Amino acid sequence: MAMNTNDIEAIVKQVIAGMKEAPVSAPAQTGSVSSGSIPKTARVAMLTKTEHFDIKEYPLPEIGDDDVLVKVEGCGVCGTDAHEFKRDPFGLIPVVLGHEGTGEIVKMGKNVKKDSAGKDLAIGDKVVTCMIFKDNPDITMFDLNKQNVGGADVYGLLPDKEDNHFQGWFADYLIVKGGSTIFNVSDLDLDSRILIEPCAVLIHAVERAKTTGILRFNSRVVVQGCGPIGLICIAVLRTMGIENIVAVDGEEKRLAVAKEMGADHSVNFKNYKGIEALADAVKDAFGGHLADFAFQCTGSPVAHSNIYKFIRNGGGLCELGFFINGGDATINPHFDICSKEITTVGSWVYTLRDYATTFDFLKRAKAIGIPLEKLITHKFPLEQINEALRSDSPFDLVPSTDETGHGTYAAALACGSAVPEEEFLGAAPEASIAVVKLKQAKQYLRDYYFIPSDAECYQETDLMLGIRYLNLLADSLNLPLVICFTVGSNMGGH
């Protein structure tokens, strides 16, 4: 599935929280220990069709001797949740999503004593889960040479079961089955715990980058893409002691946050025409030098093609932006890799060791004043989960509305997503949309041409400025451009 960059940024920032905590204290029950205040039924947000959750209530099943019952305190919304919500690419519907969650242990099987890192577990402890590894001998806690967790199962992406609907964090409770990973993170606050999973992705990426031998304390590092992943990447680098960081993005708001996360300088690619001018801007930000190392954090093939131009001869690159198939990228192997001797590594999710390292990163980042909590921009209760997944703070991007609805209707026809139940699909559903909203024509022009006061009317000069803006934007992104005029003229309808 493909989504617009702004859609993914806005959705990935949403957070679901607000559940009440369960009291801690209770008599033991047969075969398990519990807090003594567990309801017989609880709610889940069940994705029953694309773009729609139903809040359903089910009986809480009895846990086994090796299981843990967790009362959910909050869960972040990942881009993977957004993909599944929009189009069900994994074929999981009906499903309870949510894998960036955390909560409090309220019941434990009699065999549960310690977490996956050997730390004691008890009723009332705050925990997170990682993956379900199915006894894979190639995935171990402390061997960085072993494979990552890309092939393992994850709570929040499991097919629903009739005997257990509590398999995702978008719920009141989660049942952690025996053999799963679980970590005691009681020494972290709620916001930090919600950020553990996405931060582990960047801990792993930086560990991958370090294997090149190029990333050092005094390295010049460029981070391309300042969505949540890029911003966390900057924070991890800064926490490690790397200070010479340049952030590249097309949104000034993101670039401002990048500096709060630790970037020294920022470059807005929209201000430069063509890759050569953009590469020169990155070079200028480093005081006349290209980057020693680059992190490519977007899902754009064009961005991947561009990143090589920012890197010096003998430099390194970590590509971590493509968690879905975003399409093919065009590079020149001679100029981009071979003649420059670029060392490239890919990064995909994390290892168990990275997960544990993330806990220390979060403590250190907080200690040195990196405001990671700013990555959590919205909070919703469980019953508003549909609003949470659909919300994109549109007025943060465009502080006005489409009064007539004409342009919105045309955009839906051109690029609208699929609505299967209405047999609807836009002409180019995977296209990105750039919208120019025109101001009304000046009154003297309306008077001169006898335009009624209640009629929509725009100036030709404004139309041409809009076209120029779209051409410059498409050129800076190296994307093809189709312009749709949804206005008529004095020569007739459109």
Side-chain angles (χ1 to χ4, degrees):
M1 162 180 177
M3 295 181 64
N4 296 336
T5 304
N6 283 343
D7 287 340
I8 294 176
E9 176 209 5
I11 293 174
V12 170
K13 288 182 179 179
Q14 311 308 310
V15 175
I16 298 171
M19 307 359 176
K20 295 180 181 178
E21 295 187 359
V24 177
S25 71
Q29 296 181 2
T30 303
S32 64
V33 179
S34 76
S35 68
S37 58
I38 301 167
K40 294 184 180 298
T41 64
R43 302 172 305 161
V44 301
M46 183 74 72
L47 186 66
T48 54
K49 61 182 179 179
T50 54
E51 299 194 345
H52 183 75
F53 287 96
D54 282 319
I55 303 299
K56 297 194 173 188
E57 191 156 345
Y58 294 104
L60 272 171
E62 285 296 322
I63 65 170
D65 291 344
D66 299 307
D67 303 341
V68 176
L69 180 64
V70 178
K71 183 172 177 59
V72 178
E73 293 179 305
C75 183
V77 179
C78 178
T80 305
D81 298 319
H83 297 319
E84 184 63 19
F85 178 72
K86 290 285 186 180
R87 295 188 182 177
D88 189 27
F90 308 117
L92 293 174
I93 291 177
V95 63
V96 179
L97 298 174
H99 59 272
E100 297 181 359
T102 183
E104 178 181 297
I105 295 178
V106 294
K107 191 173 184 179
M108 297 167 54
K110 67 179 182 180
N111 296 334
V112 179
K113 306 296 182 186
K114 297 182 180 296
D115 74 357
S116 299
K119 192 173 180 180
D120 289 340
L121 283 178
I123 297 296
D125 283 339
K126 311 296 186 178
V127 294
V128 294
T129 55
C130 182
M131 297 282 187
I132 308 166
F133 296 115
K134 298 175 288 190
D135 299 320
N136 188 336
D138 288 329
I139 303 176
T140 62
M141 184 70 185
F142 298 107
D143 189 345
L144 293 179
N145 295 315
K146 295 292 185 179
Q147 69 186 54
N148 66 14
V149 299
D153 289 333
V154 57
Y155 288 106
L157 288 171
L158 294 174
D160 190 50
K161 294 180 178 179
E162 281 299 320
D163 61 345
N164 179 18
H165 302 286
F166 300 91
Q167 300 186 104
W169 287 95
F170 290 172
D172 289 336
Y173 289 86
L174 178 82
I175 296 176
V176 183
K177 302 297 288 184
S180 306
T181 54
I182 187 169
F183 291 96
N184 186 342
V185 287
S186 300
D187 52 350
L188 294 173
D189 60 68
L190 177 59
D191 285 354
S192 295
R193 287 185 271 135
I194 287 173
L195 291 170
I196 286 171
E197 198 274 347
C199 287
V201 172
L202 278 307
I203 292 294
H204 182 69
V206 171
E207 291 295 337
R208 293 282 294 142
K210 286 161 61 177
T211 64
T212 66
I214 299 169
L215 186 65
R216 301 184 177 91
F217 282 112
N218 61 347
S219 294
R220 302 180 185 92
V221 181
V222 61
V223 176
Q224 179 168 256
C226 293
I229 293 298
L231 293 173
I232 296 171
C233 183
I234 292 168
V236 172
L237 292 168
R238 192 68 177 210
T239 303
M240 289 174 55
I242 296 174
E243 297 185 347
N244 203 352
I245 304 169
V246 171
V248 177
D249 198 88
E251 299 293 335
E252 288 297 335
K253 280 189 174 182
R254 293 189 191 182
L255 292 171
V257 179
K259 288 190 174 181
E260 293 187 71
M261 295 297 150
D264 249 359
H265 301 283
S266 64
V267 175
N268 189 327
F269 65 76
K270 292 181 180 178
N271 296 335
Y272 303 93
K273 185 174 182 179
I275 182 57
E276 298 304 325
L278 180 57
D280 285 342
V282 172
K283 187 175 180 180
D284 290 342
F286 282 124
H289 303 277
L290 290 173
D292 300 307
F293 205 93
F295 288 86
Q296 206 299 110
C297 301
T298 80
S300 165
V302 174
H304 177 87
S305 300
N306 288 345
I307 194 75
Y308 295 92
K309 309 299 190 296
F310 306 158
I311 307 169
R312 67 165 172 83
N313 285 12
L317 165 65
C318 179
E319 172 58 71
L320 66 145
F322 292 88
F323 286 89
I324 62 170
N325 180 5
D328 296 335
T330 301
I331 66 170
N332 185 310
H334 170 71
F335 290 113
D336 293 334
I337 299 177
C338 295
S339 64
K340 295 180 73 172
E341 293 196 335
I342 300 296
T343 302
T344 303
V345 294
S347 184
W348 181 259
V349 291
Y350 33 72
T351 67
L352 268 180
R353 178 62 180 269
D354 299 321
Y355 220 73
T357 303
T358 301
F359 311 149
D360 293 319
F361 154 70
L362 287 163
K363 295 172 190 174
R364 177 60 181 160
K366 187 173 184 177
I368 65 175
I370 295 178
L372 285 170
E373 69 277 0
K374 288 194 173 184
L375 296 174
I376 299 176
T377 61
H378 301 73
K379 293 186 178 182
F380 297 86
L382 185 65
E383 58 269 19
Q384 293 181 12
I385 189 169
N386 285 298
E387 291 88 336
L389 268 292
R390 291 173 183 147
S391 174
D392 58 359
S393 300
F395 288 99
D396 289 346
L397 304 173
V398 182
S400 61
T401 60
D402 178 4
E403 291 86 357
T404 67
H406 193 184
T408 301
Y409 182 79
L413 291 176
C415 306
S417 298
V419 185
E421 59 270 25
E422 297 182 14
E423 298 184 346
F424 173 82
L425 181 66
E430 296 187 1
S432 297
I433 303 175
V435 178
V436 174
K437 182 177 180 180
L438 300 171
K439 67 179 184 291
Q440 293 293 317
K442 292 181 172 62
Q443 188 60 47
Y444 79 88
L445 289 172
R446 303 175 73 96
D447 294 341
Y448 182 82
Y449 288 104
F450 302 103
I451 305 296
S453 60
D454 60 347
E456 298 288 323
C457 180
Y458 311 103
Q459 294 173 213
E460 292 176 348
T461 51
D462 288 342
L463 281 167
M464 297 311 296
L465 281 173
I467 293 171
R468 182 174 185 272
Y469 164 76
L470 292 171
N471 275 320
L472 290 173
L473 178 63
D475 187 66
S476 69
L477 296 173
N478 194 24
L479 290 173
L481 175 66
V482 175
I483 298 178
C484 178
F485 284 102
T486 58
V487 295
S489 73
N490 57 1
M491 300 298 292
H494 58 79

